[in-house]
């Protein structure tokens, strides 16, 4: 099953979005989800160490989808991917809105789909109109 990591500048935001996405994924088996928010000392920011730990924690061998909230969170994930040995194989940064994309990613991953389908579902969330 594809794992999902949610990277935010705040641990509380990452945890809350993970809880929401998991809760809305429906019954049954839920894809592994890990928040990676804030810094190791509890401050605001992002941490390569926390992101890598979260990615390894959700890795089940089918790939890991990472969604990030903004700015340096995205840059930190890109740097980890560029290093090539910090994240599990088949880890992908998904370009998606953080909350809606997380819900779509977790629901799709929980259905047992592959990483490409999880990423596509999350990316489609950019098209959700509210008016």
């Amino acid at each position: 099953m594809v794992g999902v990591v949610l990277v935010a500048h705040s641990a509380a935001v990452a945890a809350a979005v993970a809880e929401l996405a998991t809760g809305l994924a429906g019954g049954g088996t839920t894809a592994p989800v890990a928040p990676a928010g804030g810094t190791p000392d509890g401050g605001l920011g992002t941490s390569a160490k926390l992101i890598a730990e979260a990615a390894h924690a959700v890795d089940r061998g089918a790939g890991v989808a990472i969604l990030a909230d903004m700015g340096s969170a995205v840059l930190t994930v890109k740097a980890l991917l560029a290093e090539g040995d910090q994240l599990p194989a088949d880890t992908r940064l998904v370009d998606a809105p953080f909350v809606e994309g997380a819900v779509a990613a977790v629901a799709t991953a929980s259905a047992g789909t592959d990483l490409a389908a999880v990423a596509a579902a999350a990316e489609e969330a950019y098209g959700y109109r509210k008016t």
Side-chain angles (χ1 to χ4, degrees), residues 54-81:
H56 286 284
V58 301
D59 181 29
R60 302 292 186 271
V64 175
I66 299 180
L67 286 83
D69 62 353
M70 60 185 168
S72 62
V74 174
L75 295 175
T76 302
V77 174
K78 285 183 175 179
L80 286 167
L81 289 167

Side-chain angles (χ1 to χ4, degrees), residues 9 18 32-33 60-61 74 81 84 94 111 117 124:
H9 281 71
V33 179
R60 302 292 186 271
V74 174
L81 289 167
V94 177
E124 285 177 14

Side-chain angles (χ1 to χ4, degrees), residues 15-125:
V17 173
E19 180 182 6
L20 176 67
T22 302
L24 293 177
T29 303
T30 302
V33 179
T39 60
D41 65 357
L44 297 177
T46 57
S47 163
K49 179 180 183 281
L50 292 179
I51 295 166
E53 288 174 353
H56 286 284
V58 301
D59 181 29
R60 302 292 186 271
V64 175
I66 299 180
L67 286 83
D69 62 353
M70 60 185 168
S72 62
V74 174
L75 295 175
T76 302
V77 174
K78 285 183 175 179
L80 286 167
L81 289 167
E83 290 182 29
D85 62 349
Q86 300 297 308
L87 298 172
D90 296 325
T91 297
R92 180 173 172 176
L93 174 61
V94 177
D95 183 15
F98 192 60
V99 176
E100 293 92 337
V103 171
V106 173
T108 304
S110 296
T113 60
D114 63 16
L115 181 58
V118 171
E123 291 166 357
E124 285 177 14

